[in-house]
Amino acid sequence: MEDRRQHWEQVYQNRDPSTVSWYQENPARSLILIEETSVAADAPIIDIGGGAGRLVDRLLEIGYSRLTVLDLAPTALRQAQERLGARSREVTWLDADVLEHEFEHPYAVWHDRAVFHFLTDPGDRDRYVGQLTTAVEPGGHVILATFGPDGPELCSGLPVQRHSPESLTGCLGSAFEAVDFQEEAHHTPSGTIQHFLYGRFVRLSD
Ligand SMILES: C[S@@+](CC[C@H](N)C(=O)[O-])C[C@H]1O[C@@H](n2cnc3c(N)ncnc32)[C@H](O)[C@@H]1O
């Protein structure tokens, strides 16, 4: 949707990526959860709404070789590419809205930190889960990090839907099995604390 794209483009055009509230120098919990999937180093992994985040840098350092970053803000993708320099050519970059993109092949791991919680409309959440079901291979892994029950009600000035383990499990539905939930107190660059919930799920076979 065009106003969603405009909102995020403006954020990235006006802010240094290391000052935004969701900034992480080291996305340690995401890395642990991805490593716990035990997928091979050449398994296809996608970071949904990866923005200018550093998860892709760390995954490359560890040795994962089939990485995709999807985001609807081209400025964010460019910032990540410039930071990575020549290594950015090892990554597939998708300038797209997760709700609209036609995925060309399935992924072994779908990671999303702080994107799903912007879907406050149940119809959009269903659409997201439809995309997830198409784009994650049977036996594949889904890692969703959202604001938890005690998290903020807004992020980047937009309303969010906070989630509990039960609500995330309910949203994903019967095609996914919950494997693990972890809470995290995220320290923002401005010194506040935001409560996140990380959920890991496995896509069941058809
Ligand atoms: C709060 S930021 C989180 C960035 C990154 N995941 C992280 O944890 O550092 C949300 C990101 O999702 C992107 N985004 C929001 N809605 C999206 C959508 N519908 N499709 C693709 N990207 C989206 C934004 O451009 C932004 O980069």
Side-chain angles (χ1 to χ4, degrees):
M1 197 199 275
E2 204 44 43
D3 51 358
R4 224 173 359 231
R5 182 180 289 268
Q6 273 172 11
H7 170 87
W8 289 105
E9 256 304 279
Q10 272 181 13
V11 168
Y12 287 105
Q13 283 174 12
N14 296 326
R15 301 280 302 275
D16 181 292
S18 64
T19 66
V20 294
S21 59
W22 54 92
Y23 174 74
Q24 289 178 301
E25 173 73 28
N26 180 24
R29 193 169 304 272
S30 294
L31 291 173
I32 289 169
L33 287 167
I34 290 170
E35 291 192 291
E36 282 179 357
T37 65
S38 300
V39 297
D42 62 354
I45 298 175
I46 187 163
D47 189 17
I48 298 296
R54 291 171 184 254
L55 179 63
V56 62
D57 308 39
R58 303 286 172 255
L59 291 171
L60 281 171
E61 282 164 19
I62 293 169
Y64 291 104
S65 59
R66 286 181 66 196
L67 301 175
T68 299
V69 178
L70 177 147
D71 203 285
L72 49 58
T75 297
L77 296 179
R78 204 181 56 249
Q79 288 169 346
Q81 290 161 359
E82 285 171 1
R83 188 182 63 237
L84 281 166
R87 290 214 82 177
S88 73
R89 289 197 287 276
E90 299 172 40
V91 177
T92 301
W93 304 92
L94 297 177
D95 168 7
D97 187 324
V98 63
L99 297 184
E100 292 167 9
H101 185 66
E102 289 185 22
F103 292 94
E104 288 178 0
H105 64 82
Y107 293 88
V109 179
W110 170 293
H111 173 271
D112 163 345
R113 174 175 178 269
V115 185
F116 184 69
H117 66 198
F118 290 109
L119 304 179
T120 54
D121 176 75
D124 281 346
R125 290 198 290 274
D126 287 347
R127 212 158 133 205
Y128 181 102
V129 174
Q131 293 285 69
L132 190 58
T133 309
T134 310
V136 176
E137 62 194 27
H141 306 264
V142 176
I143 297 161
L144 290 185
T146 67
F147 284 161
D150 299 324
E153 294 179 2
L154 293 174
C155 178
S156 185
L158 299 175
V160 301
Q161 176 71 51
R162 298 178 291 183
H163 284 284
S164 62
E166 294 73 26
S167 72
L168 274 187
T169 305
C171 287
L172 264 59
S174 57
F176 295 88
E177 183 183 7
V179 178
D180 188 18
F181 291 101
Q182 298 185 16
E183 293 173 6
E184 181 175 77
H186 167 61
H187 294 252
T188 70
S190 66
T192 59
I193 290 182
Q194 297 179 334
H195 293 282
F196 272 80
L197 174 71
Y198 286 69
R200 182 158 80 81
F201 298 83
V202 171
R203 161 111 151 80
L204 301 174
S205 299
D206 295 319

